[in-house]
Amino acid sequence: MRKRNWRLIVVGGVLLVLAVLFFLSMRDMTPWSNDPGALMRTVGEVSGAVGGISIVMIVFGLIGRKAPAG
């Protein structure tokens, strides 16, 4: 039986929420930017990378580790 790593699951979930909030909050700032396309490309790359890392953390947390044999 495997034991889930709840710390990884919670931190991954928090990072996923922060990535979405970062993307949405920066989307509201594009009207004041000199180059909105470049801004959103950069914001999309950053939030996508953080979102990807968080999904990997959630998956590894759900897989878990072997429970002690005792």
Side-chain angles (χ1 to χ4, degrees):
M1 190 72 186
R2 291 195 164 284
K3 183 179 177 189
R4 289 192 172 140
N5 191 343
W6 287 105
R7 290 180 187 163
L8 273 180
I9 295 169
V10 169
V11 170
V14 168
L15 279 177
L16 189 60
V17 169
L18 287 175
V20 170
L21 288 176
F22 175 69
F23 181 80
L24 294 176
S25 67
M26 290 302 286
R27 187 184 63 175
D28 295 336
M29 293 186 189
T30 54
W32 297 288
S33 174
N34 291 333
D35 191 359
L39 173 70
M40 287 312 292
R41 265 193 303 278
T42 305
V43 169
E45 287 179 11
V46 171
S47 60
V50 172
I53 291 170
S54 68
I55 290 173
V56 169
M57 289 176 73
I58 292 171
V59 168
F60 279 142
L62 289 173
I63 291 172
R65 57 185 136 161
K66 286 186 181 179

mmCIF file of all heavy atoms in Angstrom, residues 19-30 36-50:
data_model
loop_
_atom_site.group_PDB
_atom_site.id
_atom_site.type_symbol
_atom_site.label_atom_id
_atom_site.label_comp_id
_atom_site.label_asym_id
_atom_site.label_seq_id
_atom_site.Cartn_x
_atom_site.Cartn_y
_atom_site.Cartn_z
ATOM 1 N N ALA A 19 -0.682 30.465 -9.707
ATOM 2 C CA ALA A 19 -0.372 30.650 -11.129
ATOM 3 C C ALA A 19 -1.583 31.198 -11.883
ATOM 4 O O ALA A 19 -1.449 32.110 -12.700
ATOM 5 C CB ALA A 19 0.073 29.323 -11.739
ATOM 6 N N VAL A 20 -2.761 30.675 -11.582
ATOM 7 C CA VAL A 20 -3.974 31.159 -12.246
ATOM 8 C C VAL A 20 -4.264 32.607 -11.841
ATOM 9 O O VAL A 20 -4.591 33.449 -12.685
ATOM 10 C CB VAL A 20 -5.168 30.234 -11.927
ATOM 11 C CG1 VAL A 20 -6.474 30.845 -12.394
ATOM 12 C CG2 VAL A 20 -4.959 28.874 -12.559
ATOM 13 N N LEU A 21 -4.134 32.904 -10.552
ATOM 14 C CA LEU A 21 -4.374 34.271 -10.086
ATOM 15 C C LEU A 21 -3.370 35.257 -10.677
ATOM 16 O O LEU A 21 -3.730 36.382 -11.027
ATOM 17 C CB LEU A 21 -4.335 34.329 -8.564
ATOM 18 C CG LEU A 21 -5.522 33.691 -7.846
ATOM 19 C CD1 LEU A 21 -5.306 33.726 -6.340
ATOM 20 C CD2 LEU A 21 -6.811 34.373 -8.226
ATOM 21 N N PHE A 22 -2.116 34.840 -10.805
ATOM 22 C CA PHE A 22 -1.095 35.696 -11.414
ATOM 23 C C PHE A 22 -1.454 35.995 -12.869
ATOM 24 O O PHE A 22 -1.383 37.144 -13.312
ATOM 25 C CB PHE A 22 0.276 35.028 -11.326
ATOM 26 C CG PHE A 22 1.372 35.776 -12.024
ATOM 27 C CD1 PHE A 22 1.824 36.988 -11.537
ATOM 28 C CD2 PHE A 22 1.954 35.270 -13.174
ATOM 29 C CE1 PHE A 22 2.835 37.691 -12.179
ATOM 30 C CE2 PHE A 22 2.963 35.957 -13.811
ATOM 31 C CZ PHE A 22 3.393 37.163 -13.321
ATOM 32 N N PHE A 23 -1.862 34.958 -13.600
ATOM 33 C CA PHE A 23 -2.224 35.160 -15.004
ATOM 34 C C PHE A 23 -3.410 36.112 -15.127
ATOM 35 O O PHE A 23 -3.393 37.038 -15.946
ATOM 36 C CB PHE A 23 -2.546 33.817 -15.662
ATOM 37 C CG PHE A 23 -2.911 33.938 -17.106
ATOM 38 C CD1 PHE A 23 -1.917 34.082 -18.062
ATOM 39 C CD2 PHE A 23 -4.226 33.922 -17.514
ATOM 40 C CE1 PHE A 23 -2.241 34.208 -19.396
ATOM 41 C CE2 PHE A 23 -4.566 34.042 -18.832
ATOM 42 C CZ PHE A 23 -3.572 34.180 -19.789
ATOM 43 N N LEU A 24 -4.434 35.894 -14.310
ATOM 44 C CA LEU A 24 -5.631 36.730 -14.406
ATOM 45 C C LEU A 24 -5.371 38.167 -13.955
ATOM 46 O O LEU A 24 -5.920 39.113 -14.526
ATOM 47 C CB LEU A 24 -6.765 36.113 -13.601
ATOM 48 C CG LEU A 24 -7.296 34.782 -14.130
ATOM 49 C CD1 LEU A 24 -8.355 34.231 -13.204
ATOM 50 C CD2 LEU A 24 -7.815 34.922 -15.544
ATOM 51 N N SER A 25 -4.543 38.340 -12.930
ATOM 52 C CA SER A 25 -4.260 39.702 -12.471
ATOM 53 C C SER A 25 -3.391 40.461 -13.476
ATOM 54 O O SER A 25 -3.581 41.667 -13.671
ATOM 55 C CB SER A 25 -3.589 39.675 -11.094
ATOM 56 O OG SER A 25 -2.311 39.094 -11.192
ATOM 57 N N MET A 26 -2.456 39.780 -14.120
ATOM 58 C CA MET A 26 -1.632 40.450 -15.117
ATOM 59 C C MET A 26 -2.415 40.742 -16.393
ATOM 60 O O MET A 26 -2.103 41.670 -17.122
ATOM 61 C CB MET A 26 -0.396 39.609 -15.441
ATOM 62 C CG MET A 26 0.607 39.543 -14.308
ATOM 63 S SD MET A 26 1.206 41.157 -13.791
ATOM 64 C CE MET A 26 2.280 41.544 -15.142
ATOM 65 N N ARG A 27 -3.447 39.946 -16.662
ATOM 66 C CA ARG A 27 -4.289 40.196 -17.832
ATOM 67 C C ARG A 27 -4.984 41.555 -17.716
ATOM 68 O O ARG A 27 -5.190 42.244 -18.708
ATOM 69 C CB ARG A 27 -5.317 39.079 -17.957
ATOM 70 C CG ARG A 27 -6.125 39.151 -19.221
ATOM 71 C CD ARG A 27 -7.174 38.106 -19.240
ATOM 72 N NE ARG A 27 -8.103 38.371 -18.132
ATOM 73 C CZ ARG A 27 -9.213 37.695 -17.920
ATOM 74 N NH1 ARG A 27 -9.523 36.704 -18.707
ATOM 75 N NH2 ARG A 27 -9.998 38.001 -16.920
ATOM 76 N N ASP A 28 -5.305 41.936 -16.488
ATOM 77 C CA ASP A 28 -5.953 43.232 -16.288
ATOM 78 C C ASP A 28 -4.994 44.408 -16.467
ATOM 79 O O ASP A 28 -5.432 45.537 -16.622
ATOM 80 C CB ASP A 28 -6.570 43.297 -14.887
ATOM 81 C CG ASP A 28 -7.705 42.299 -14.723
ATOM 82 O OD1 ASP A 28 -8.299 41.914 -15.746
ATOM 83 O OD2 ASP A 28 -7.972 41.906 -13.574
ATOM 84 N N MET A 29 -3.689 44.153 -16.444
ATOM 85 C CA MET A 29 -2.707 45.224 -16.581
ATOM 86 C C MET A 29 -2.269 45.448 -18.025
ATOM 87 O O MET A 29 -1.501 46.372 -18.292
ATOM 88 C CB MET A 29 -1.481 44.917 -15.731
ATOM 89 C CG MET A 29 -1.742 44.952 -14.267
ATOM 90 S SD MET A 29 -0.212 44.752 -13.378
ATOM 91 C CE MET A 29 -0.824 44.562 -11.726
ATOM 92 N N THR A 30 -2.725 44.643 -18.953
ATOM 93 C CA THR A 30 -2.269 44.792 -20.341
ATOM 94 C C THR A 30 -2.659 46.112 -20.992
ATOM 95 O O THR A 30 -1.902 46.586 -21.848
ATOM 96 C CB THR A 30 -2.772 43.629 -21.216
ATOM 97 O OG1 THR A 30 -4.179 43.524 -21.097
ATOM 98 C CG2 THR A 30 -2.110 42.340 -20.821
ATOM 99 N N PRO A 36 1.470 44.855 -25.192
ATOM 100 C CA PRO A 36 0.628 43.871 -24.500
ATOM 101 C C PRO A 36 0.877 42.432 -24.943
ATOM 102 O O PRO A 36 0.785 41.508 -24.139
ATOM 103 C CB PRO A 36 -0.795 44.293 -24.845
ATOM 104 C CG PRO A 36 -0.709 45.662 -25.382
ATOM 105 C CD PRO A 36 0.679 45.847 -25.897
ATOM 106 N N GLY A 37 1.219 42.234 -26.208
ATOM 107 C CA GLY A 37 1.474 40.877 -26.698
ATOM 108 C C GLY A 37 2.674 40.240 -26.026
ATOM 109 O O GLY A 37 2.632 39.082 -25.598
ATOM 110 N N ALA A 38 3.766 41.019 -25.935
ATOM 111 C CA ALA A 38 4.979 40.498 -25.293
ATOM 112 C C ALA A 38 4.751 40.274 -23.805
ATOM 113 O O ALA A 38 5.236 39.287 -23.235
ATOM 114 C CB ALA A 38 6.138 41.462 -25.502
ATOM 115 N N LEU A 39 3.995 41.162 -23.183
ATOM 116 C CA LEU A 39 3.695 41.004 -21.756
ATOM 117 C C LEU A 39 2.934 39.711 -21.512
ATOM 118 O O LEU A 39 3.280 38.931 -20.627
ATOM 119 C CB LEU A 39 2.887 42.194 -21.239
ATOM 120 C CG LEU A 39 2.377 42.072 -19.803
ATOM 121 C CD1 LEU A 39 3.531 42.154 -18.824
ATOM 122 C CD2 LEU A 39 1.334 43.122 -19.511
ATOM 123 N N MET A 40 1.910 39.456 -22.304
ATOM 124 C CA MET A 40 1.101 38.256 -22.086
ATOM 125 C C MET A 40 1.852 36.983 -22.466
ATOM 126 O O MET A 40 1.629 35.943 -21.881
ATOM 127 C CB MET A 40 -0.225 38.352 -22.839
ATOM 128 C CG MET A 40 -1.195 39.325 -22.223
ATOM 129 S SD MET A 40 -1.389 39.146 -20.429
ATOM 130 C CE MET A 40 -2.183 37.572 -20.317
ATOM 131 N N ARG A 41 2.776 37.071 -23.427
ATOM 132 C CA ARG A 41 3.607 35.906 -23.736
ATOM 133 C C ARG A 41 4.474 35.542 -22.544
ATOM 134 O O ARG A 41 4.584 34.381 -22.158
ATOM 135 C CB ARG A 41 4.479 36.188 -24.958
ATOM 136 C CG ARG A 41 3.878 35.706 -26.249
ATOM 137 C CD ARG A 41 4.903 35.715 -27.374
ATOM 138 N NE ARG A 41 5.503 37.038 -27.604
ATOM 139 C CZ ARG A 41 4.937 37.991 -28.330
ATOM 140 N NH1 ARG A 41 3.761 37.791 -28.876
ATOM 141 N NH2 ARG A 41 5.531 39.141 -28.502
ATOM 142 N N THR A 42 5.101 36.569 -21.948
ATOM 143 C CA THR A 42 5.956 36.336 -20.789
ATOM 144 C C THR A 42 5.151 35.826 -19.605
ATOM 145 O O THR A 42 5.548 34.870 -18.931
ATOM 146 C CB THR A 42 6.692 37.629 -20.401
ATOM 147 O OG1 THR A 42 7.405 38.111 -21.537
ATOM 148 C CG2 THR A 42 7.640 37.394 -19.262
ATOM 149 N N VAL A 43 4.013 36.452 -19.342
ATOM 150 C CA VAL A 43 3.161 36.028 -18.231
ATOM 151 C C VAL A 43 2.653 34.608 -18.466
ATOM 152 O O VAL A 43 2.608 33.797 -17.535
ATOM 153 C CB VAL A 43 1.993 37.022 -18.053
ATOM 154 C CG1 VAL A 43 0.950 36.481 -17.110
ATOM 155 C CG2 VAL A 43 2.503 38.354 -17.561
ATOM 156 N N GLY A 44 2.305 34.280 -19.693
ATOM 157 C CA GLY A 44 1.847 32.930 -20.004
ATOM 158 C C GLY A 44 2.923 31.887 -19.811
ATOM 159 O O GLY A 44 2.654 30.788 -19.316
ATOM 160 N N GLU A 45 4.156 32.223 -20.190
ATOM 161 C CA GLU A 45 5.257 31.282 -19.993
ATOM 162 C C GLU A 45 5.506 31.038 -18.508
ATOM 163 O O GLU A 45 5.684 29.902 -18.078
ATOM 164 C CB GLU A 45 6.530 31.806 -20.644
ATOM 165 C CG GLU A 45 6.515 31.718 -22.145
ATOM 166 C CD GLU A 45 7.787 32.280 -22.768
ATOM 167 O OE1 GLU A 45 8.750 32.547 -22.020
ATOM 168 O OE2 GLU A 45 7.805 32.441 -23.991
ATOM 169 N N VAL A 46 5.518 32.112 -17.735
ATOM 170 C CA VAL A 46 5.794 31.976 -16.299
ATOM 171 C C VAL A 46 4.675 31.218 -15.608
ATOM 172 O O VAL A 46 4.925 30.271 -14.851
ATOM 173 C CB VAL A 46 6.005 33.366 -15.661
ATOM 174 C CG1 VAL A 46 6.063 33.267 -14.150
ATOM 175 C CG2 VAL A 46 7.269 34.005 -16.197
ATOM 176 N N SER A 47 3.441 31.603 -15.856
ATOM 177 C CA SER A 47 2.334 30.924 -15.187
ATOM 178 C C SER A 47 2.194 29.487 -15.689
ATOM 179 O O SER A 47 1.814 28.595 -14.919
ATOM 180 C CB SER A 47 1.033 31.696 -15.364
ATOM 181 O OG SER A 47 0.703 31.817 -16.714
ATOM 182 N N GLY A 48 2.517 29.231 -16.929
ATOM 183 C CA GLY A 48 2.495 27.862 -17.441
ATOM 184 C C GLY A 48 3.561 26.993 -16.802
ATOM 185 O O GLY A 48 3.308 25.826 -16.484
ATOM 186 N N ALA A 49 4.744 27.556 -16.604
ATOM 187 C CA ALA A 49 5.812 26.794 -15.957
ATOM 188 C C ALA A 49 5.454 26.485 -14.508
ATOM 189 O O ALA A 49 5.608 25.345 -14.043
ATOM 190 C CB ALA A 49 7.119 27.573 -16.018
ATOM 191 N N VAL A 50 4.939 27.469 -13.793
ATOM 192 C CA VAL A 50 4.549 27.246 -12.398
ATOM 193 C C VAL A 50 3.382 26.268 -12.329
ATOM 194 O O VAL A 50 3.351 25.384 -11.463
ATOM 195 C CB VAL A 50 4.205 28.581 -11.709
ATOM 196 C CG1 VAL A 50 3.616 28.348 -10.333
ATOM 197 C CG2 VAL A 50 5.442 29.456 -11.607
#
